[in-house]
Amino acid sequence: MNQFAAAFLLISFVSVNAQIDKRNVLQYLEDGNFTTLVNLVKRAGLAAPLSTGIVVCLYSIFAPTDEAFKKLPVDVLLKLQADPSSLLDFLQFHVVGGIAINNMFTNGSTFDTLNNKTIHIIKYKNNATVANGVPISQNEVIVRNGVIHKVDRVLLPLEKSISEYLGEHDSQFQDLYAALVLEGYEKALEGGNFTLFAPEDHAFSSIIAALPTITADDNLFKKILAMHVVPGVYFSAALTDGMKLTTLAGNQLTVSINSKGVFIDGAQVIDTDVATTNGAIHTIASVITPPSSK
């Protein structure tokens, strides 16, 4: 493919919201809110490929802003800086070789990264688009040698199922994980596609007095657990005020979004968007229970 053909193909896919810029990838990042990313790119020796002026060498970058890196634990960033191999792997996971533009993103589409891993795209009815659970800006930037998608969190590979994630974070979800194992939901949450609203351990303290009664009624206990699981994958970008989500128990959860935060049937969401191989996990501050058991 010659440079003219590559440029024509790129422009033909551009959405109406795209910005066209004459700089190359590295120049654009250097002039924007990407200081940490640029420093890591240079440390990893990737500056030269991203600064080429050759149109045929196209890259699509999911570029974490400086704010995105501030959300990473400090020790994680320090480890990346100290380990060249891990740093290169981390950065290459944010780069797709070739064209990946918003108009090409469809629900369920996938893109292979430079380190031979996969970015999974979900596109919702409200037009929000996420890559491995991370919202993608609708305003992509087309530069001389590629495409830049600004993201407000770093992208991570999908490696653990919902059950595996809970099992590995039992200091946070010990009560929930034990309950899921007890009632046989653990295996179910290793496959399929689900959204789990996961109460932390301290959330169970609010219903501790009623637990003996609840656990004695096996059907009620199973229903309560099922009320926290919604078929389908709903990252926070998909949630809107007043939205109804039907659970495995058959009831509907109401999403409420206001100045105080996001609430699922009254339970406040305190952490969002853990992306797994089979869905999303949102941490909530209280246990969702049927009205009769409250």
Side-chain angles (χ1 to χ4, degrees), residues 79-237:
K79 287 179 181 178
L80 286 174
Q81 293 171 334
D83 184 346
S85 178
S86 294
L87 176 59
L88 182 62
D89 192 60
F90 170 84
L91 292 173
Q92 287 183 331
F93 185 66
H94 289 76
V95 183
V96 172
I99 302 170
I101 297 181
N102 282 334
N103 282 356
M104 299 170 63
F105 296 157
T106 58
N107 192 36
S109 59
T110 60
F111 294 87
D112 293 331
T113 64
L114 291 189
N115 63 341
N116 297 314
K117 295 182 180 179
T118 304
I119 291 175
H120 298 261
I121 302 295
I122 300 177
K123 195 161 191 173
Y124 294 108
K125 292 180 180 179
N126 63 356
N127 290 323
T129 304
V130 298
N132 284 23
V134 176
I136 304 171
S137 171
Q138 297 295 314
N139 300 314
E140 66 213 345
V141 179
I142 311 300
V143 294
R144 186 188 307 167
N145 60 331
V147 185
I148 296 173
H149 300 279
K150 183 172 70 174
V151 292
D152 64 1
R153 297 201 309 275
V154 302
L155 271 62
L156 298 171
L158 306 183
E159 296 177 336
K160 305 293 182 182
S161 69
I162 291 175
S163 286
E164 289 170 332
Y165 181 88
L166 296 177
E168 292 184 3
H169 293 77
D170 58 355
S171 61
Q172 185 179 9
F173 300 110
Q174 184 175 12
D175 291 339
L176 175 62
Y177 185 65
L180 291 171
V181 171
L182 179 66
E183 295 298 338
Y185 284 116
E186 176 203 10
K187 295 297 182 183
L189 293 178
E190 288 181 356
N193 290 288
F194 299 104
T195 300
L196 174 67
F197 295 100
E200 283 188 311
D201 282 346
H202 70 79
F204 284 88
S205 63
S206 63
I207 62 166
I208 194 76
L211 273 179
T213 302
I214 292 173
T215 54
D217 184 341
D218 192 52
N219 289 332
L220 175 59
F221 196 38
K222 281 186 176 180
K223 181 177 181 180
I224 289 175
L225 292 175
M227 288 175 64
H228 293 76
V229 184
V230 174
V233 184
Y234 296 92
F235 289 102
S236 59

Side-chain angles (χ1 to χ4, degrees), residues 7 14 26 46 55 59 77 148 162 177 196 228 231 255 259 268 279:
V14 173
L26 187 64
L46 295 177
V55 177
Y59 298 96
L77 186 56
I148 296 173
I162 291 175
Y177 185 65
L196 174 67
H228 293 76
V255 180
S259 59
Q268 186 167 16

Side-chain angles (χ1 to χ4, degrees), residues 25-38:
V25 168
L26 187 64
Q27 289 170 335
Y28 181 86
L29 295 177
E30 287 178 325
D31 293 339
N33 184 28
F34 303 98
T35 302
T36 303
L37 177 60
V38 169

